[in-house]
């Protein structure tokens, strides 16, 4: 319906209901829009712990807050929560004790025929009451013909008295004060380590035109050692561990400049062992010489550390192999204790 305009232009009649409804919708939208981001922001703040829950509680109003007290640098620190007011001092760890292997006795070589490097010569130590004697035949080469071999019986083949020198290196030591070739004997397990007394390693016998080199390990022949190669390998592992442990203890107890000579001595031992054992008969197949040298080194280090070598703390004897269990009916043939290739 159109009303006449005073100026002659017709005008359309507006409806007040639509205008009021539109205004209300706009106001409602303006009211709802800002509330949604605020709620989302508050939700994520509480989720990640940065909202009101993470804020420290505020003290009530009109309550005085005590300021932090100054800390005295010399005052002891307050105990942490869960700890007592008194703290006990930590007890220092006890020093590690040296490893002591079983020390071989003199009787373990008495009456045995020993060979130099398991090859030639002859050494037999006999016991007469509390005294010991040695029958020794030394192998060598002729002075006039170095390509030809020779042998010399010490003191004309008579028993040479052995003088005990105690155990300065942990094992029994004897000396043979022969005028032609003074020697030192150190008793190991089933063998004897012989060293000439003096500067050189050789002994010269002008009357028999023979020069001998008795230094080395006198022990059994290689044929008697090969069946025990596995046992020697097990005992070698025990002896190597004892040497390492005792060497570490010795370096820990040393101070300042005393450590360097110990390190040099340990390096020289490894070199001397290789030098002495490379000529033992079939050493690579049984390792007997390396085992005895290593055991002697471990015992010597324990003695220098002041340990009681009469009471072993580690067994250098190989462990007995376990007896296999009897197979049970229905057992898997590949299981432990069964014979995988037994006749079915």
């Amino acid at each position: 319906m159109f009303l006449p305009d005073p100026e002659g232009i017709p005008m359309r009649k507006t409806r007040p209901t639509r205008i009021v409804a539109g205004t209300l919708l706009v106001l409602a939208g303006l009211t709802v829009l800002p509330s949604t981001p605020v709620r989302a922001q508050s939700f994520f703040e509480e989720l990640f712990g940065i909202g009101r829950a993470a804020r420290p509680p505020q003290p009530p109003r009109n309550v005085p807050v005590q300021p932090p007290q100054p800390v005295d640098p010399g005052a002891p620190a307050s105990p942490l929560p869960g700890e007592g007011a008194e703290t006990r001092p930590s007890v220092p760890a006890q020093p590690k004790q040296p490893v002591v292997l079983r020390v071989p006795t003199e009787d373990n070589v008495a009456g045995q025929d020993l060979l130099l490097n398991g090859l030639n010569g002859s050494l037999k130590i006999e016991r007469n009451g509390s005294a010991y004697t040695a029958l020794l035949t030394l192998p060598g080469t002729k002075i006039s013909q170095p390509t030809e071999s020779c042998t010399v019986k010490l003191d004309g083949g008579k028993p040479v008295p052995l003088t005990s020198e105690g155990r300065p290196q942990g094992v029994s030591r004897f000396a043979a004060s022969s005028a032609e070739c003074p020697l030192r004997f150190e008793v190991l397990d089933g063998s004897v380590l012989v060293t000439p007394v003096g500067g050189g390693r050789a002994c010269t016998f002008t009357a028999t035109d023979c020069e001998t080199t008795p230094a080395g390990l006198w022990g059994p022949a290689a044929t008697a050692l090969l069946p025990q190669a596995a046992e020697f390998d097990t005992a070698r592992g025990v002896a190597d561990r004892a040497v390492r442990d005792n060497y570490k203890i010795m370096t820990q107890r040393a101070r300042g400049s005393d450590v360097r000579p110990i390190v040099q001595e340990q390096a020289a031992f490894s070199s001397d062992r290789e030098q002495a054992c490379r000529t033992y008969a079939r050493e690579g197949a049984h390792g007997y010489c390396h085992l005895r040298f290593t055991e002697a080194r471990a015992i010597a280090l324990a003695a220098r550390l002041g340990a009681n070598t009469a009471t072993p703390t580690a067994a250098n004897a190989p462990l007995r192999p376990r007896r296999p269990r009897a197979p049970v009916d229905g057992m898997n043939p590949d299981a432990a204790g069964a014979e995988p290739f037994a006749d079915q």
Side-chain angles (χ1 to χ4, degrees):
M1 177 178 183
F2 295 90
L3 299 176
D5 189 10
E7 296 179 359
I9 301 175
M11 297 181 60
R12 188 173 182 178
K13 184 178 180 180
T14 59
R15 297 180 178 180
T17 306
R18 294 183 178 180
I19 297 175
V20 173
T23 304
L24 293 175
L25 290 174
V26 172
L27 293 175
L30 293 177
T31 306
V32 172
L33 288 177
S35 63
T36 303
V38 171
R39 291 180 180 177
Q41 180 179 1
S42 301
F43 171 75
F44 284 106
E45 286 180 354
E46 299 297 334
L47 177 63
F48 292 102
I50 59 177
R52 289 177 298 176
R55 298 173 186 172
Q58 299 294 332
R61 297 182 180 180
N62 301 328
V63 177
V65 179
Q66 184 178 4
Q69 299 295 331
V71 179
D72 186 5
S78 58
L80 297 176
E83 295 183 354
E86 298 181 359
T87 56
R88 298 180 179 179
S90 58
V91 179
Q94 296 295 330
K96 195 174 182 180
Q97 299 299 322
V99 179
V100 181
L101 299 181
R102 180 179 56 85
V103 179
T105 62
E106 301 84 350
D107 293 337
N108 90 96
V109 295
Q112 297 187 25
D113 291 322
L114 306 178
L115 307 176
L116 177 58
N117 294 322
L119 290 171
N120 47 26
S122 176
L123 171 61
K124 190 173 184 179
I125 297 179
E126 297 286 356
R127 179 177 180 178
N128 298 321
S130 59
Y132 290 88
T133 59
L135 290 172
L136 190 60
T137 301
L138 304 176
T141 57
K142 288 187 176 182
I143 301 174
S144 58
Q145 298 290 336
T147 57
E148 298 182 8
S149 60
C150 60
T151 57
V152 177
K153 292 185 177 181
L154 194 63
D155 282 4
K158 298 179 181 179
V160 180
L162 299 180
T163 305
S164 177
E165 295 185 348
R167 296 183 176 182
Q169 294 295 327
V171 296
S172 299
R173 176 183 291 181
F174 294 92
S177 56
S178 174
E180 299 171 316
C181 187
L183 300 173
R184 179 181 294 119
F185 300 86
E186 290 180 315
V187 179
L188 306 183
D189 191 356
S191 57
V192 176
L193 183 62
V194 178
T195 307
V197 178
R201 295 174 57 87
C203 293
T204 303
F205 298 86
T206 308
T208 56
D209 190 27
C210 190
E211 184 179 70
T212 65
T213 54
L217 186 67
W218 294 68
T223 54
L225 300 175
L226 292 176
Q228 307 176 62
E231 298 178 3
F232 296 153
D233 184 66
T234 303
R236 168 77 181 276
V238 177
D240 282 334
R241 263 192 318 272
V243 170
R244 288 194 301 267
D245 292 344
N246 292 343
Y247 166 70
K248 291 179 182 179
I249 296 175
M250 182 168 290
T251 54
Q252 291 172 359
R253 293 184 180 181
R255 297 180 179 273
S257 59
D258 296 336
V259 177
R260 185 178 181 87
I262 299 175
V263 176
Q264 294 176 346
E265 179 184 347
Q266 181 67 16
F269 157 71
S270 301
S271 176
D272 294 341
R273 180 179 58 183
E274 294 296 329
Q275 184 75 15
C277 293
R278 67 179 183 177
T279 55
Y280 203 96
R282 305 192 64 179
E283 173 65 16
H286 51 73
Y288 178 80
C289 182
H290 278 74
L291 169 61
R292 297 309 179 218
F293 260 82
T294 308
E295 289 175 343
R297 173 66 175 174
I299 295 172
L301 291 177
R304 290 169 57 180
L305 289 170
N308 182 14
T309 56
T311 305
T313 60
N316 51 344
L319 300 176
R320 295 181 179 179
R322 292 184 177 181
R323 180 179 300 177
R325 295 179 299 177
V328 181
D329 292 340
M331 177 184 290
N332 183 358
D334 295 331
E339 298 179 3
F341 301 105
D343 296 334
Q344 300 296 331

